[in-house]
């Protein structure tokens, strides 16, 4: 699946210095009918978007609009019915942290290395330095059920990062958290990505989150998902939620959503 | 505390009924008589308890292994599920009272037929609870393993086996009580030792209190095994009872 994706072969756009890390062209996805004789459900229709290496593209749209399906396509977990996908291997981080309850926090973060057949000691040693750097120091041996929601999400993000894939697909990573933790995690993610730059597709229904984190915001329509607007966010970082420039971007995104 | 009071109250009622009622103590000995038999026959009872305990302990382990292996085979292969599941359910309908003597003829008077009988009646709850646990594996966890490029075997190792462990252990807990009954059946069918054998010998000798003492030991042993399995559960699968997320998904 993802392994069949080579590096991009799409013609570079004039003036572009680097090839896109991810490029979707007219992607269409439908779900087979639930019952025999029922109608197939069109989840994504004709979506084209791309992200350059190191870029963070936020996908916002009404809930149930097919954003998750789109990420699954990018990660090779679902075959599109039409259109093409090019780009580097991508890894999915779901809204639920999905930490394995039978492993401690460090083992959870080290899981990708274990799956690449690294011995436990080496896998843990690789993950360990990032624990302190990402505000998880001292929680290495905690079981997932002993951690708060925000902590669990940090471990899950670390695991995603340690998969070693160049493209991260984050599916509402803070959607299940309370508002305070959410704002805190948003800043945490911004600093984590500043430290470990990756090409990132971030699905969210929170336009403020998008305005603060993204280089570009892609606004999607209700199901079936179509690209409704693309908003560039040329603001310097770190950004503040109350900054007029951020607020203006937020307004534009909201307007595009309502249209 | 309350548990102890309840037990004392029950024993007291039994004692009163046996003494004041008109029940022959050859039919229902009072707890005090059973207690006396426990003490007087302690050597005999201890030797035979050891025999039965060994049968039951090994039988539970064999049932746990066989049950988990069968559950895994059924889980991994749909044709095996179709072929084996009806056979397993059918195996539980086989009247063990009829089969036990045949197994004795076939396997001799040693521990082998006892293990066979105990395993036969105990593996089934393990298979069912393990399969349930495997079926309840979070599909999102499978998706996670796929996005991390895990192979089918790795999915089994990292997600399915750990998820199935609590199921297998609950199955073993259910099996404990029937395992003791199975051991007594097996000893009735043909043996020269074990607590079932003690009961079998005591009744025609009119040593009813000894038979009751043996039965009390069997019950106490079942409780002990159950407690040990609960302890093993707490040590091996601490997440199964603490993670609220997890318990609602199961």
């Amino acid at each position: 699946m993802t392994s069949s994706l080579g590096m991009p072969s799409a013609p570079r756009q004039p003036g572009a210095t680097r090839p896109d890390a991810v490029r979707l062209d007219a992607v269409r996805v439908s779900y087979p009918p639930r019952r025999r004789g029922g109608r197939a459900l069109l989840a994504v229709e004709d979506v084209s978007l791309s992200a350059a290496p190191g870029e963070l593209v936020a996908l916002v749209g009404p809930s149930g609009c097919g954003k998750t399906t789109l990420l699954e396509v990018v990660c090779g977990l679902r075959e599109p019915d039409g259109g093409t996908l090019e780009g580097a291997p991508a890894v999915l981080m779901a809204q639920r942290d999905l930490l394995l309850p039978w492993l401690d926090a460090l083992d959870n973060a080290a899981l990708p290395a274990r799956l690449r057949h690294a011995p436990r000691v080496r896998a843990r040693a690789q993950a360990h330095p990032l624990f302190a750097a990402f505000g998880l120091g001292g929680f290495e041996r905690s079981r997932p059920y002993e951690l708060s929601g925000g902590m669990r999400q940090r471990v899950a993000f670390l695991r995603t990062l340690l998969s070693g894939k160049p493209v991260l697909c984050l599916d509402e990573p803070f959607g299940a958290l309370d508002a305070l933790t959410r704002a805190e995690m948003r800043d945490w993610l911004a600093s984590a990505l500043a430290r470990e730059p990756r090409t990132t597709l971030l699905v969210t229904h929170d336009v403020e989150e998008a305005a603060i984190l993204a280089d570009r915001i892609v606004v999607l329509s209700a199901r079936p998902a179509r690209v409704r607007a693309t908003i560039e966010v040329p603001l310097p970082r770190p950004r503040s939620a109350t900054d007029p420039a951020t607020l203006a971007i937020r307004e534009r995104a909201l307007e595009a959503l309502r249209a | 505390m309350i548990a102890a009071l309840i037990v004392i109250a029950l024993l007291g009622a039994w004692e009163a009924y046996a003494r004041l009622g008109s029940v022959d103590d050859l039919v229902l000995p009072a707890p005090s008589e059973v207690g006396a038999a426990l003490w007087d026959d302690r050597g005999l009872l201890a030797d035979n308890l050891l025999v039965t305990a060994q049968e039951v302990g090994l039988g539970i382990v064999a049932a746990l292994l066989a049950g988990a292996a069968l559950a895994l085979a059924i889980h991994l292969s749909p044709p095996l599920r179709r072929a084996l599941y009806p056979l397993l359910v059918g195996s539980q309908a086989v009247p063990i009272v009829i089969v036990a003597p045949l197994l004795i003829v076939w396997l001799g008077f040693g521990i082998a037929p006892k293990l066979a009988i105990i395993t036969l009646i105990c593996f089934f709850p393990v298979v069912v609870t393990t399969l349930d646990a495997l079926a309840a594996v979070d599909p999102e966890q499978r998706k996670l393993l796929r996005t991390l490029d895990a192979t089918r075997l790795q999915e089994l190792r990292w997600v399915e086996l750990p998820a199935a462990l609590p199921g297998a252990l609950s199955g073993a807990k259910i099996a404990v009580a029937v395992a003791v009954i199975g051991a007594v059946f097996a000893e009735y069918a043909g043996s020269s030792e074990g607590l079932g054998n003690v009961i079998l010998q005591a009744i025609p000798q009119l040593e009813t209190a000894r038979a009751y003492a043996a039965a009390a030991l069997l019950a106490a042993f079942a409780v002990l095994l159950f407690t040990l399995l609960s302890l093993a559960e707490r040590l091996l699968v601490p997440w199964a009872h603490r993670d609220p997320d997890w318990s609602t998904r199961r």
Side-chain angles (χ1 to χ4, degrees):
Chain A
M1 299 202 132
T2 41
S3 56
S4 66
L5 300 168
M7 281 308 283
S9 55
R12 294 182 191 186
Q13 286 170 347
T17 50
R18 290 184 294 182
D20 296 324
V22 183
R23 183 180 191 83
L24 296 179
D25 243 323
V27 163
R28 201 167 58 82
V29 186
S30 58
Y31 287 92
R34 291 239 173 104
R35 282 172 287 117
R36 217 210 280 253
R39 287 203 345 236
L41 181 71
L42 191 59
V44 175
E45 186 175 33
D46 225 16
V47 168
S48 304
L49 57 89
S50 63
E55 216 177 16
L56 194 154
V57 176
L59 306 175
V60 297
S63 37
C65 81
K67 294 170 292 196
T68 300
T69 309
L70 210 51
L71 286 194
E72 285 178 1
V73 169
V74 173
C75 294
L77 296 170
R78 187 180 291 284
E79 286 292 320
D81 295 294
T84 55
L85 159 72
E86 289 164 356
V91 59
L92 182 68
M93 173 181 173
Q95 177 175 352
R96 280 171 48 208
D97 57 76
L98 298 176
L99 298 183
L100 300 178
W102 34 89
L103 302 180
D104 70 18
L106 191 53
D107 277 330
N108 264 294
L111 180 63
R114 299 299 299 280
L115 294 175
R116 290 191 300 265
H117 307 288
R120 179 159 186 249
V121 176
R122 190 172 4 122
R124 283 174 75 91
Q126 271 171 4
H128 190 256
L130 286 168
F131 253 62
F134 285 174
L136 286 163
F139 290 94
E140 290 83 355
R141 285 175 187 280
S142 302
R143 294 283 187 140
Y145 51 78
E146 295 165 336
L147 298 175
S148 68
M151 292 289 227
R152 294 168 64 126
Q153 229 37 10
R154 289 178 200 215
V155 178
F157 180 76
L158 213 55
R159 176 183 62 197
T160 311
L161 212 54
L162 287 167
S163 73
K165 297 190 183 180
V167 179
L168 310 182
C169 289
L170 312 182
D171 188 3
E172 298 196 35
F174 313 131
L177 303 176
D178 62 272
L180 259 177
T181 316
R182 205 185 158 102
E184 187 192 317
M185 287 300 291
R186 194 179 59 204
D187 297 342
W188 176 85
L189 180 66
S191 67
L193 282 173
R195 193 194 146 93
E196 296 274 335
R198 295 283 195 287
T199 309
T200 308
L201 295 186
L202 172 74
V203 158
T204 176
H205 55 239
D206 181 346
V207 285
E208 182 181 286
E209 194 170 288
I212 288 182
L213 291 171
D215 295 301
R216 188 152 14 105
I217 302 175
V218 175
V219 180
L220 297 169
S221 67
R223 199 201 307 265
R226 288 189 207 90
V227 176
R228 203 172 242 179
T230 303
I231 302 167
E232 300 290 334
V233 191
L235 304 178
R237 289 188 168 88
R239 300 170 190 162
S240 140
T242 49
D243 183 24
T246 317
L247 286 173
I249 295 285
R250 201 188 133 192
E251 277 314 306
R252 280 180 60 196
L254 275 177
E255 232 164 76
L257 267 175
R258 280 193 222 103
Chain B
M1 190 56 208
I2 291 174
L5 285 178
I6 291 174
V7 171
I8 289 170
L10 283 174
L11 285 176
W14 175 5
E15 182 82 36
Y17 180 72
R19 279 177 188 257
L20 304 175
S22 53
V23 194
D24 193 322
D25 62 0
L26 283 181
V27 177
L28 183 71
S32 53
E33 294 172 80
V34 176
L38 266 176
W39 179 252
D40 295 339
D41 299 331
R42 58 186 181 279
L44 173 84
L45 289 171
D47 290 348
N48 288 290
L49 173 63
L50 219 58
V51 173
T52 305
Q54 198 184 1
E55 292 164 5
V56 173
L58 289 175
I60 292 272
V61 171
L64 199 50
L65 293 178
L70 277 168
L72 209 59
I74 288 173
H75 173 70
L76 291 177
S77 153
L80 275 184
R81 174 182 291 265
R82 284 192 294 274
L84 284 183
Y85 221 157
L87 287 179
L88 297 186
V89 177
S91 77
Q92 296 309 293
V94 172
I96 213 77
V97 195
I98 314 277
V99 178
L102 299 177
L103 279 172
I104 301 284
V105 173
W106 185 18
L107 297 171
F109 276 77
I111 195 170
K114 280 86 175 177
L115 281 187
I117 289 162
I118 295 170
T119 309
L120 186 64
I121 57 177
C122 288
F123 81 93
F124 190 66
V126 178
V127 172
V128 174
T129 53
T130 309
L131 275 176
D132 277 354
L134 284 169
V137 166
D138 189 347
E140 291 262 305
Q141 279 176 350
R142 294 180 194 280
K143 207 196 275 176
L144 165 77
L145 275 263
R146 277 208 290 147
T147 196
L148 295 176
D149 299 331
T151 62
R152 182 72 186 84
L153 208 64
Q154 287 180 320
E155 194 180 313
L156 192 67
R157 149 82 178 83
W158 291 96
V159 170
E160 291 180 306
L161 287 184
L165 191 56
L169 285 174
S170 347
K173 277 162 81 181
I174 297 171
V176 160
V178 275
V180 173
I181 298 178
V184 171
F185 258 137
E187 288 172 5
Y188 257 59
S191 68
S192 50
E193 45 187 0
L195 284 179
N197 186 262
V198 168
I199 296 174
L200 188 65
Q201 308 271 345
I203 288 172
Q205 291 168 9
L206 305 182
E207 295 275 7
T208 318
R210 186 192 293 163
Y212 272 80
L217 278 180
L218 283 173
F221 178 64
V223 173
L224 175 74
L225 267 186
F226 190 86
T227 313
L228 283 178
L229 278 169
S230 304
L231 205 66
E233 215 174 19
R234 205 173 298 174
L235 289 174
L236 291 173
V237 294
W239 67 86
H241 302 289
R242 282 190 220 161
D243 184 355
D245 228 30
W246 180 253
S247 52
T248 50
R249 275 207 300 277
R250 281 179 61 194

